[in-house]
Amino acid sequence: MPDKTLTVATYAAGASFAAITLVYVFGPTFFFDAGPSASTNRNRGAVGLSNPANDCFLNSVLQALAGLGDLRIYLIRETHRRSLDDELVYAQVVPVGLLPGDVQHFRGDMPHWKMEGFQKGLVTKGLKDILDALNERPLYKKTITAMPFLRVLEEAFRQRISRRQQDAQEFLQVVAERLCNEYHAGRRARASARRTCALGDAASELAQTAPDKDSTQGLVTQVNDIEKPQGQSEVVNDELGGGQEEGFPMEGQSESQIECLTCGFKPRPTATTFCTLTLNVPQVSSATTLGACFDGMFKTEYIDDFKCEKCRLMHAILLLEADLERSTSEVARENIRAAIDKLQSALETDPEDPPNDVVLPDLSHAPKRRIARHIRLTSFPKILAIHLSRSIFDASHYSQKNSAKVVFPEKFPLGGLLNQKKYKLLSVVTHKGSHDSGHYETFRRQVMQPPFSNPSTFKPAEVYSRTVSPAPTPHIRAQRSDGGEENSLMSTPDPLSPSGGDSLTPPLDPWKHSVPAPQTSILPDGDKPASPLGSPQKDVLSVSRGRESESTSLRSVAANAKSTFSKITSRPSAGTESNPKSDVMDTSTTKSLTTAKPRRRKVQDRWWRISDDKVKEASTRDVLSMQREVYLLFYEMERA
């Protein structure tokens, strides 16, 4: 018989080893996922970025972009869409001008290699990888490098990026415009591929309907008619044939409108797309606000010495009428009258499109007018990136930094009363130092994006597509004993219903659906024939009796629970006497049932203050207090 002391020591050592193993394996995960109320002082920070050579401008922008949920959703959706498409869709360069609307985003003289890089989406894939790494939840302090993303940028632009002190806003603008161009180039490539497939199908259908040689000649004409673009709307409809795409979330559109204060003519507004908004900080001694900076951009501006097109045509008509009075030749007078009629027609229809066969006076002799100019937003981006320009330039070409305080809110409404959008602050980039040197830091809100669950594997997840599967998941219904169908929810009785004891349906017998029931006759017990299955019949009877007893016990338990619940929640009537002890019990029970849980600190009130590889926690008050150092603001549109 082994020694008792040795056995106890062995068991104690094994239990201690098992406990240590459990704590070592499951301890970090348990404490990490415990949430804000976990009693741990370990730093749960974000992933930092190393700064080997003045890379704070790069690190601050990447950390700010990592906290934008809509941008990450776009990157996931775009890379997934490109991975599903064939490589030939993006390998073949679509010439600029083939589709209407190309001039709005691309120039006609764009090099072939640049358009090829746009269609491949190099920066989109590289930015997704670095943002995924920055959004990792580290158990301990972790620092990565941004060199892989820098290599992607150098490959995309075919030039080396300088490692000297750079401006964070310039880097943000370069990356944002590159992402926007890659999205539109990929969309053009997908539209061109769909158009090519549609033309191939149309040509095959026309070939099948043209068996003889006489109708073969008209086949080429019909195909050429299909290839001709009929307008922007048809191209958009053809492009959206594969499902409507959500655009680049940082892209917005503004519209500039001018008005001549002399004749009241309003030319066609000029639309401009943007990825970042640059607002000038006014030079004030006291603090200014973000709304005042927006007013400086969107307020009405008055410009002098402007050449109005309508006033120019009216001036030309006056000169022609003077020539008509001085002219003595009938042929010259007829030509002048025809020119005047054409100019009058252009004034009534479109003053910006004068007739080509009429010689207008030199533009230098056109009258100068005073105009009013204002800008408004026509398309609100999902992510509003704001750059507060603090540069001051004087006559000696010496630049200084404007250190005026700018009060910015956590939630910012933008737009008019009819189309107002509300934005919420997610990231802030600050700058400390002079105009030519300094250091950038990032404040990033601790926001956990909701998971994109996929309840059915046969349906696409919402993060990738918004289309719905044509074949939904089938619903299995329970079958009654008489052969009819019954909903599975209706076959389960309600134990708290008043008629619960009478409405309980007998439980379904599993043997009844799997094994054919034997044919028996109503005979005395001693004269019953033997079952062809033998013992299973007795088992079926015992199972059914057991289930009947379980249902009876369930009814009794439900009735007792219902009576107890009614006693707790009921109050004595006015005409009856109440027992003080029972009142105290009822009150305490009611209070215990209605006691609310203690409030927890909101997770969205916590921020990360990131300075390269150093990560600290901050609050919203700390972020809003950076009024003198704020440089870049990132707002995200709130979903209705």
Side-chain angles (χ1 to χ4, degrees):
M1 182 175 181
D3 189 7
K4 184 176 182 181
T5 305
L6 181 60
T7 305
V8 173
T10 305
Y11 288 161
S16 302
F17 180 76
I20 293 173
T21 304
L22 291 176
V23 171
Y24 180 78
V25 174
F26 298 103
T29 306
F30 173 76
F31 287 115
F32 183 77
D33 295 332
S37 62
S39 58
T40 176
N41 296 324
R42 187 174 48 80
N43 183 18
R44 296 188 301 269
V47 179
L49 289 170
S50 60
N51 186 3
N54 296 327
D55 292 340
C56 60
F57 73 97
L58 168 68
N59 297 341
S60 59
V61 172
L62 291 179
Q63 291 286 2
L65 296 180
L68 305 178
D70 284 340
L71 178 61
R72 295 199 62 206
I73 293 174
Y74 161 77
L75 294 176
I76 294 173
R77 182 185 294 116
E78 184 67 17
T79 53
H80 182 73
R81 183 188 293 119
R82 289 174 178 268
S83 64
L84 293 179
D85 295 335
D86 193 271
E87 295 182 358
L88 296 178
V89 175
Y90 306 99
Q92 185 177 3
V93 177
V94 180
V96 178
L98 181 63
L99 301 176
D102 288 349
V103 185
Q104 183 179 359
H105 302 283
F106 305 104
R107 302 191 309 270
D109 56 346
M110 181 173 295
H112 185 274
W113 65 268
K114 185 174 291 188
M115 180 59 68
E116 183 180 4
F118 287 162
Q119 294 187 177
K120 289 183 178 179
L122 301 176
V123 180
T124 301
K125 181 64 170 60
L127 184 62
K128 176 186 176 299
D129 294 339
I130 188 68
L131 294 190
D132 289 346
L134 291 176
N135 278 277
E136 181 185 349
R137 300 194 302 171
L139 297 179
Y140 301 98
K141 181 179 179 180
K142 183 177 181 180
T143 303
I144 62 175
T145 177
M147 285 303 300
F149 184 66
L150 283 177
R151 296 191 188 96
V152 170
L153 289 178
E154 292 176 352
E155 180 184 358
F157 289 98
R158 292 191 177 182
Q159 62 182 4
R160 183 174 178 80
I161 297 179
S162 176
R163 305 300 298 276
R164 297 188 306 170
Q165 183 71 25
Q166 300 291 338
D167 190 4
Q169 184 269 337
E170 295 178 357
F171 177 76
L172 172 64
Q173 186 173 0
V174 167
V175 173
E177 290 181 355
R178 176 74 187 200
L179 292 175
C180 185
N181 291 333
E182 288 184 356
Y183 165 71
H184 288 289
R187 190 174 183 179
R188 290 177 64 256
R190 291 187 288 270
S192 178
R194 283 192 289 268
R195 178 186 291 269
T196 304
C197 295
L199 292 177
D201 296 340
S204 61
E205 292 179 1
L206 293 176
Q208 292 177 1
T209 58
D212 51 349
K213 295 183 179 180
D214 297 336
S215 58
T216 305
Q217 185 177 0
L219 175 62
V220 180
T221 304
Q222 296 181 21
V223 173
N224 293 334
D225 293 340
I226 296 176
E227 293 180 355
K228 294 179 181 179
Q230 301 296 330
Q232 178 70 18
S233 60
E234 295 188 10
V235 172
V236 171
N237 293 335
D238 177 57
E239 184 177 352
L240 301 180
Q244 187 174 1
E245 299 180 4
E246 293 189 0
F248 182 56
M250 297 182 66
E251 183 183 12
Q253 189 174 18
S254 62
E255 194 175 78
S256 176
Q257 179 69 63
I258 64 175
E259 179 182 2
C260 180
L261 299 181
T262 303
C263 64
F265 174 65
K266 294 182 180 180
R268 286 186 292 269
T270 304
T272 307
T273 59
F274 65 89
C275 296
T276 58
L277 280 179
T278 299
L279 306 179
N280 295 320
V281 179
Q283 302 180 27
V284 293
S285 57
S286 60
T288 184
T289 61
L290 183 62
C293 297
F294 268 97
D295 294 340
M297 178 179 180
F298 294 103
K299 70 178 182 181
T300 303
E301 180 183 7
Y302 296 96
I303 304 175
D304 296 325
D305 299 337
F306 186 82
K307 303 297 181 65
C308 175
E309 296 292 339
K310 186 175 182 180
C311 292
R312 184 186 179 189
L313 294 182
M314 295 172 64
H315 176 69
I317 291 176
L318 292 177
L319 295 179
L320 289 176
E321 289 178 352
D323 294 341
L324 181 63
E325 293 179 357
R326 294 192 301 266
S327 178
T328 57
S329 173
E330 189 65 25
V331 178
R333 294 172 64 91
E334 288 295 331
N335 294 333
I336 294 175
R337 291 193 187 96
I340 292 176
D341 293 339
K342 293 180 181 179
L343 292 179
Q344 289 288 352
S345 177
L347 282 176
E348 296 175 358
T349 56
D350 187 7
E352 294 183 278
D353 187 17
N356 297 326
D357 54 349
V358 177
V359 180
L360 297 177
D362 189 31
L363 186 61
S364 60
H365 300 291
K368 299 179 181 180
R369 304 301 185 190
R370 181 180 174 88
I371 64 170
R373 174 177 175 267
H374 66 275
I375 301 175
R376 67 186 184 94
L377 293 180
T378 56
S379 178
F380 295 89
K382 288 185 177 181
I383 299 174
L384 182 62
I386 302 174
H387 164 231
L388 298 179
S389 178
R390 294 181 174 271
S391 300
I392 302 175
F393 300 96
D394 53 8
S396 60
H397 303 283
Y398 179 74
S399 56
Q400 298 179 356
K401 180 180 178 181
N402 184 5
S403 299
K405 292 184 178 181
V406 180
V407 180
F408 55 97
E410 184 181 5
K411 294 186 178 181
F412 185 70
L414 191 63
L417 297 177
L418 299 179
N419 58 344
Q420 189 179 73
K421 306 296 182 181
K422 295 182 179 180
Y423 288 88
K424 186 175 181 179
L425 184 64
L426 290 187
S427 300
V428 178
V429 176
T430 60
H431 179 265
K432 292 183 179 181
S434 62
H435 185 273
D436 298 328
S437 62
H439 183 67
Y440 291 98
E441 289 184 349
T442 302
F443 288 86
R444 172 179 158 191
R445 187 186 291 271
Q446 299 185 22
V447 178
M448 181 62 66
Q449 297 297 329
F452 298 93
S453 60
N454 191 9
S456 176
T457 56
F458 296 99
K459 294 181 181 179
E462 186 178 359
V463 67
Y464 299 136
S465 174
R466 291 187 176 274
T467 57
V468 182
S469 174
T473 304
H475 298 280
I476 303 175
R477 298 178 178 271
Q479 189 173 1
R480 296 180 179 176
S481 58
D482 54 357
E485 290 186 356
E486 183 181 1
N487 195 344
S488 60
L489 296 178
M490 297 301 295
S491 62
T492 304
D494 186 8
L496 294 179
S497 61
S499 59
D502 300 334
S503 62
L504 285 172
T505 57
L508 296 177
D509 195 348
W511 289 90
K512 186 178 297 183
H513 301 281
S514 59
V515 181
Q519 298 180 359
T520 57
S521 59
I522 304 176
L523 296 175
D525 295 339
D527 299 332
K528 284 184 179 181
S531 174
L533 296 178
S535 59
Q537 185 177 5
K538 297 181 181 181
D539 296 339
V540 171
L541 293 177
S542 62
V543 169
S544 61
R545 290 174 183 175
R547 292 190 177 182
E548 289 177 0
S549 62
E550 290 178 1
S551 61
T552 305
S553 62
L554 179 62
R555 287 196 297 270
S556 61
V557 171
N560 294 334
K562 183 178 179 182
S563 61
T564 305
F565 183 75
S566 61
K567 289 179 181 179
I568 292 175
T569 56
S570 63
R571 294 182 179 271
S573 59
T576 60
E577 296 181 357
S578 60
N579 189 2
K581 296 183 178 180
S582 63
D583 293 341
V584 174
M585 293 294 293
D586 295 341
T587 306
S588 61
T589 307
T590 306
K591 287 183 179 180
S592 63
L593 291 176
T594 59
T595 301
K597 296 182 179 180
R599 283 189 174 183
R600 293 182 179 179
R601 184 183 177 187
K602 293 183 179 179
V603 180
Q604 296 185 357
D605 191 41
R606 297 199 303 269
W607 292 68
W608 281 313
R609 183 172 183 173
I610 306 174
S611 176
D612 294 330
D613 58 341
K614 300 178 182 178
V615 181
K616 300 180 182 179
E617 284 196 353
S619 62
T620 305
R621 180 181 302 178
D622 300 333
V623 177
L624 299 182
S625 64
M626 306 296 292
Q627 301 174 1
R628 196 180 298 274
E629 298 85 2
V630 59
Y631 188 64
L632 295 176
L633 295 170
F634 295 88
Y635 285 89
E636 191 175 75
M637 184 185 297
E638 292 184 344
R639 296 176 176 84

PDB file of all heavy atoms in Angstrom, residues 254-258 267-272 373-376:
ATOM      1  N   SER A 254     -18.735  69.520 -53.936  1.00  0.00           N
ATOM      2  CA  SER A 254     -19.149  70.894 -53.683  1.00  0.00           C
ATOM      3  C   SER A 254     -19.500  71.564 -55.002  1.00  0.00           C
ATOM      4  O   SER A 254     -19.062  71.129 -56.081  1.00  0.00           O
ATOM      5  CB  SER A 254     -18.043  71.683 -52.969  1.00  0.00           C
ATOM      6  OG  SER A 254     -16.879  71.757 -53.780  1.00  0.00           O
ATOM      7  N   GLU A 255     -20.264  72.630 -54.896  1.00  0.00           N
ATOM      8  CA  GLU A 255     -20.745  73.338 -56.079  1.00  0.00           C
ATOM      9  C   GLU A 255     -20.517  74.825 -55.874  1.00  0.00           C
ATOM     10  O   GLU A 255     -20.916  75.394 -54.848  1.00  0.00           O
ATOM     11  CB  GLU A 255     -22.227  73.044 -56.289  1.00  0.00           C
ATOM     12  CG  GLU A 255     -22.756  73.430 -57.643  1.00  0.00           C
ATOM     13  CD  GLU A 255     -24.199  73.003 -57.805  1.00  0.00           C
ATOM     14  OE1 GLU A 255     -25.082  73.706 -57.261  1.00  0.00           O
ATOM     15  OE2 GLU A 255     -24.456  71.973 -58.452  1.00  0.00           O
ATOM     16  N   SER A 256     -19.864  75.443 -56.843  1.00  0.00           N
ATOM     17  CA  SER A 256     -19.573  76.870 -56.805  1.00  0.00           C
ATOM     18  C   SER A 256     -20.497  77.593 -57.770  1.00  0.00           C
ATOM     19  O   SER A 256     -20.575  77.233 -58.953  1.00  0.00           O
ATOM     20  CB  SER A 256     -18.100  77.131 -57.173  1.00  0.00           C
ATOM     21  OG  SER A 256     -17.834  78.506 -57.227  1.00  0.00           O
ATOM     22  N   GLN A 257     -21.177  78.613 -57.274  1.00  0.00           N
ATOM     23  CA  GLN A 257     -22.142  79.370 -58.075  1.00  0.00           C
ATOM     24  C   GLN A 257     -21.786  80.847 -58.006  1.00  0.00           C
ATOM     25  O   GLN A 257     -21.546  81.391 -56.926  1.00  0.00           O
ATOM     26  CB  GLN A 257     -23.563  79.164 -57.551  1.00  0.00           C
ATOM     27  CG  GLN A 257     -24.633  79.936 -58.303  1.00  0.00           C
ATOM     28  CD  GLN A 257     -24.841  79.401 -59.708  1.00  0.00           C
ATOM     29  OE1 GLN A 257     -25.243  78.264 -59.886  1.00  0.00           O
ATOM     30  NE2 GLN A 257     -24.570  80.231 -60.709  1.00  0.00           N
ATOM     31  N   ILE A 258     -21.726  81.494 -59.174  1.00  0.00           N
ATOM     32  CA  ILE A 258     -21.465  82.931 -59.236  1.00  0.00           C
ATOM     33  C   ILE A 258     -22.685  83.620 -59.838  1.00  0.00           C
ATOM     34  O   ILE A 258     -23.462  83.017 -60.589  1.00  0.00           O
ATOM     35  CB  ILE A 258     -20.191  83.245 -60.046  1.00  0.00           C
ATOM     36  CG1 ILE A 258     -20.364  82.813 -61.503  1.00  0.00           C
ATOM     37  CG2 ILE A 258     -18.982  82.585 -59.424  1.00  0.00           C
ATOM     38  CD1 ILE A 258     -19.190  83.216 -62.381  1.00  0.00           C
ATOM     39  N   PRO A 267     -24.140  81.740 -64.338  1.00  0.00           N
ATOM     40  CA  PRO A 267     -23.635  80.651 -65.189  1.00  0.00           C
ATOM     41  C   PRO A 267     -23.901  79.292 -64.565  1.00  0.00           C
ATOM     42  O   PRO A 267     -24.370  79.169 -63.434  1.00  0.00           O
ATOM     43  CB  PRO A 267     -22.129  80.950 -65.272  1.00  0.00           C
ATOM     44  CG  PRO A 267     -21.968  82.351 -64.805  1.00  0.00           C
ATOM     45  CD  PRO A 267     -23.077  82.607 -63.836  1.00  0.00           C
ATOM     46  N   ARG A 268     -23.585  78.282 -65.336  1.00  0.00           N
ATOM     47  CA  ARG A 268     -23.738  76.931 -64.815  1.00  0.00           C
ATOM     48  C   ARG A 268     -22.784  76.720 -63.645  1.00  0.00           C
ATOM     49  O   ARG A 268     -21.613  77.093 -63.717  1.00  0.00           O
ATOM     50  CB  ARG A 268     -23.467  75.898 -65.912  1.00  0.00           C
ATOM     51  CG  ARG A 268     -24.566  75.785 -66.933  1.00  0.00           C
ATOM     52  CD  ARG A 268     -24.280  74.644 -67.903  1.00  0.00           C
ATOM     53  NE  ARG A 268     -23.137  74.956 -68.747  1.00  0.00           N
ATOM     54  CZ  ARG A 268     -23.216  75.565 -69.936  1.00  0.00           C
ATOM     55  NH1 ARG A 268     -24.386  75.947 -70.398  1.00  0.00           N
ATOM     56  NH2 ARG A 268     -22.127  75.802 -70.636  1.00  0.00           N
ATOM     57  N   PRO A 269     -23.274  76.112 -62.564  1.00  0.00           N
ATOM     58  CA  PRO A 269     -22.389  75.922 -61.402  1.00  0.00           C
ATOM     59  C   PRO A 269     -21.273  74.946 -61.730  1.00  0.00           C
ATOM     60  O   PRO A 269     -21.419  74.020 -62.528  1.00  0.00           O
ATOM     61  CB  PRO A 269     -23.331  75.383 -60.320  1.00  0.00           C
ATOM     62  CG  PRO A 269     -24.479  74.778 -61.065  1.00  0.00           C
ATOM     63  CD  PRO A 269     -24.640  75.592 -62.313  1.00  0.00           C
ATOM     64  N   THR A 270     -20.168  75.163 -61.067  1.00  0.00           N
ATOM     65  CA  THR A 270     -18.989  74.329 -61.253  1.00  0.00           C
ATOM     66  C   THR A 270     -18.913  73.311 -60.121  1.00  0.00           C
ATOM     67  O   THR A 270     -18.807  73.694 -58.943  1.00  0.00           O
ATOM     68  CB  THR A 270     -17.722  75.181 -61.282  1.00  0.00           C
ATOM     69  OG1 THR A 270     -17.840  76.181 -62.308  1.00  0.00           O
ATOM     70  CG2 THR A 270     -16.500  74.323 -61.552  1.00  0.00           C
ATOM     71  N   ALA A 271     -18.995  72.036 -60.453  1.00  0.00           N
ATOM     72  CA  ALA A 271     -18.945  70.966 -59.453  1.00  0.00           C
ATOM     73  C   ALA A 271     -17.501  70.507 -59.262  1.00  0.00           C
ATOM     74  O   ALA A 271     -16.756  70.335 -60.238  1.00  0.00           O
ATOM     75  CB  ALA A 271     -19.821  69.793 -59.871  1.00  0.00           C
ATOM     76  N   THR A 272     -17.133  70.309 -58.023  1.00  0.00           N
ATOM     77  CA  THR A 272     -15.786  69.880 -57.672  1.00  0.00           C
ATOM     78  C   THR A 272     -15.864  68.785 -56.624  1.00  0.00           C
ATOM     79  O   THR A 272     -16.617  68.911 -55.648  1.00  0.00           O
ATOM     80  CB  THR A 272     -14.949  71.048 -57.127  1.00  0.00           C
ATOM     81  OG1 THR A 272     -14.984  72.132 -58.059  1.00  0.00           O
ATOM     82  CG2 THR A 272     -13.510  70.630 -56.893  1.00  0.00           C
ATOM     83  N   ARG A 373     -20.056  85.241 -55.236  1.00  0.00           N
ATOM     84  CA  ARG A 373     -19.707  83.822 -55.367  1.00  0.00           C
ATOM     85  C   ARG A 373     -19.920  83.128 -54.031  1.00  0.00           C
ATOM     86  O   ARG A 373     -19.509  83.637 -52.980  1.00  0.00           O
ATOM     87  CB  ARG A 373     -18.249  83.672 -55.801  1.00  0.00           C
ATOM     88  CG  ARG A 373     -17.715  82.246 -55.826  1.00  0.00           C
ATOM     89  CD  ARG A 373     -16.288  82.237 -56.330  1.00  0.00           C
ATOM     90  NE  ARG A 373     -15.689  80.910 -56.254  1.00  0.00           N
ATOM     91  CZ  ARG A 373     -14.977  80.472 -55.216  1.00  0.00           C
ATOM     92  NH1 ARG A 373     -14.769  81.267 -54.169  1.00  0.00           N
ATOM     93  NH2 ARG A 373     -14.459  79.256 -55.215  1.00  0.00           N
ATOM     94  N   HIS A 374     -20.563  81.965 -54.081  1.00  0.00           N
ATOM     95  CA  HIS A 374     -20.757  81.174 -52.868  1.00  0.00           C
ATOM     96  C   HIS A 374     -20.621  79.692 -53.214  1.00  0.00           C
ATOM     97  O   HIS A 374     -20.855  79.273 -54.351  1.00  0.00           O
ATOM     98  CB  HIS A 374     -22.116  81.454 -52.220  1.00  0.00           C
ATOM     99  CG  HIS A 374     -23.286  81.022 -53.054  1.00  0.00           C
ATOM    100  ND1 HIS A 374     -23.832  81.812 -54.043  1.00  0.00           N
ATOM    101  CD2 HIS A 374     -24.022  79.862 -53.048  1.00  0.00           C
ATOM    102  CE1 HIS A 374     -24.839  81.189 -54.610  1.00  0.00           C
ATOM    103  NE2 HIS A 374     -24.974  80.006 -54.045  1.00  0.00           N
ATOM    104  N   ILE A 375     -20.234  78.921 -52.196  1.00  0.00           N
ATOM    105  CA  ILE A 375     -19.989  77.484 -52.343  1.00  0.00           C
ATOM    106  C   ILE A 375     -20.931  76.747 -51.404  1.00  0.00           C
ATOM    107  O   ILE A 375     -21.164  77.181 -50.264  1.00  0.00           O
ATOM    108  CB  ILE A 375     -18.526  77.137 -52.014  1.00  0.00           C
ATOM    109  CG1 ILE A 375     -17.578  77.908 -52.929  1.00  0.00           C
ATOM    110  CG2 ILE A 375     -18.269  75.642 -52.156  1.00  0.00           C
ATOM    111  CD1 ILE A 375     -16.118  77.708 -52.594  1.00  0.00           C
ATOM    112  N   ARG A 376     -21.444  75.631 -51.864  1.00  0.00           N
ATOM    113  CA  ARG A 376     -22.300  74.782 -51.039  1.00  0.00           C
ATOM    114  C   ARG A 376     -21.966  73.319 -51.320  1.00  0.00           C
ATOM    115  O   ARG A 376     -21.459  72.967 -52.389  1.00  0.00           O
ATOM    116  CB  ARG A 376     -23.781  75.043 -51.312  1.00  0.00           C
ATOM    117  CG  ARG A 376     -24.243  74.627 -52.689  1.00  0.00           C
ATOM    118  CD  ARG A 376     -25.684  75.038 -52.937  1.00  0.00           C
ATOM    119  NE  ARG A 376     -26.164  74.557 -54.224  1.00  0.00           N
ATOM    120  CZ  ARG A 376     -26.827  73.411 -54.391  1.00  0.00           C
ATOM    121  NH1 ARG A 376     -27.082  72.636 -53.336  1.00  0.00           N
ATOM    122  NH2 ARG A 376     -27.255  73.020 -55.586  1.00  0.00           N
TER     123      ARG A 376
END
